[in-house]
Amino acid sequence: MSKEVVVRYHFVGSGYTDCEYIDKEMYLLSITRFEAGLLLFCDNKVINPKNVTYFEIIKERVMNID
């Protein structure tokens, strides 16, 4: 079983982007990087935490992978 998490990052000025993490561990690693002020890599995007006003989890579900 794996836990999928989709996070929406809201940026200064009203833009946002969604990042999908297919593993809860990867999500937790991104939070650690975010708190340290390091760049986040999501799909083909690079997110600078300095430009993020807030983020929210918009989807969290358990995936059954057998």
Side-chain angles (χ1 to χ4, degrees):
M1 248 186 330
S2 180
K3 201 165 197 177
E4 175 190 30
V5 179
V6 179
V7 178
R8 179 167 287 166
Y9 293 96
H10 294 266
F11 300 107
V12 175
S14 77
Y16 70 87
T17 192
D18 295 340
C19 290
E20 182 177 348
Y21 300 98
I22 57 172
D23 185 314
K24 184 77 169 192
E25 298 297 321
M26 291 302 294
Y27 165 69
L28 295 175
L29 177 63
S30 74
I31 296 300
T32 303
R33 290 181 60 83
F34 184 86
E35 290 174 344
L38 301 173
L39 296 177
L40 303 176
F41 300 97
C42 174
D43 298 330
N44 293 330
K45 303 169 195 153
V46 178
I47 299 172
N48 185 343
K50 294 177 185 175
N51 297 330
V52 175
T53 55
Y54 70 98
F55 64 91
E56 60 185 324
I57 295 174
I58 59 172
K59 181 168 73 168
E60 188 169 2
R61 70 181 179 131
V62 174
M63 297 170 26
N64 222 353
I65 300 175
D66 293 331

